Amino acid sequence: MNHTHDETTYALLWSRAQHAFHVEPFSTTLKKARQVFLRGYGTDFSPVFIGSDDACRQTRRVLCEYRERLQAHQDPAPVDVSEAKAVGELCDDFMADLLERMAAHKQHDTQP
């Protein structure tokens, strides 16, 4: 089953063990997931974003900058984690903030 959207859709993956991102075609991600299912073991890479190759790479840049700011305490966390929130709500808030930051980056990158 090779669909044309597989070739233009990419996955941004995060490895907790390696503390690294990886971008690959989404069809590759699915193939690896099937191998994990069949073998019963796999990788620690988890998908964190799915989109075009450019969008995945832009998201990686934003996430790296976000992590650096949090580690340096230069910028408060965009999500209020002090409140007791459901994990799903925190993820939704984080993704909304991420999309806003990506839009700002794109606007900044296209200005002369």
Side-chain angles (χ1 to χ4, degrees), residues 40-109:
Y41 64 89
T43 175
D44 81 318
F45 276 95
S46 299
V48 293
F49 186 83
I50 294 174
S52 69
D53 184 52
D54 287 344
C56 285
R57 293 178 192 286
Q58 183 179 11
T59 301
R60 178 175 59 192
R61 282 193 304 273
V62 170
L63 289 174
C64 286
E65 290 175 11
Y66 170 76
R67 185 176 56 210
E68 287 171 12
R69 278 197 297 272
L70 285 179
Q71 289 173 347
H73 302 290
Q74 295 173 354
D75 192 23
V79 177
D80 185 0
V81 294
S82 62
E83 295 178 15
K85 283 190 164 184
V87 171
E89 290 175 357
L90 286 173
C91 289
D92 290 346
D93 290 350
F94 176 76
M95 283 308 299
D97 181 70
L98 173 64
L99 293 173
E100 279 182 32
R101 289 174 187 253
M102 284 179 60
H105 254 256
K106 189 172 189 175
Q107 190 174 33
H108 179 266
D109 290 347

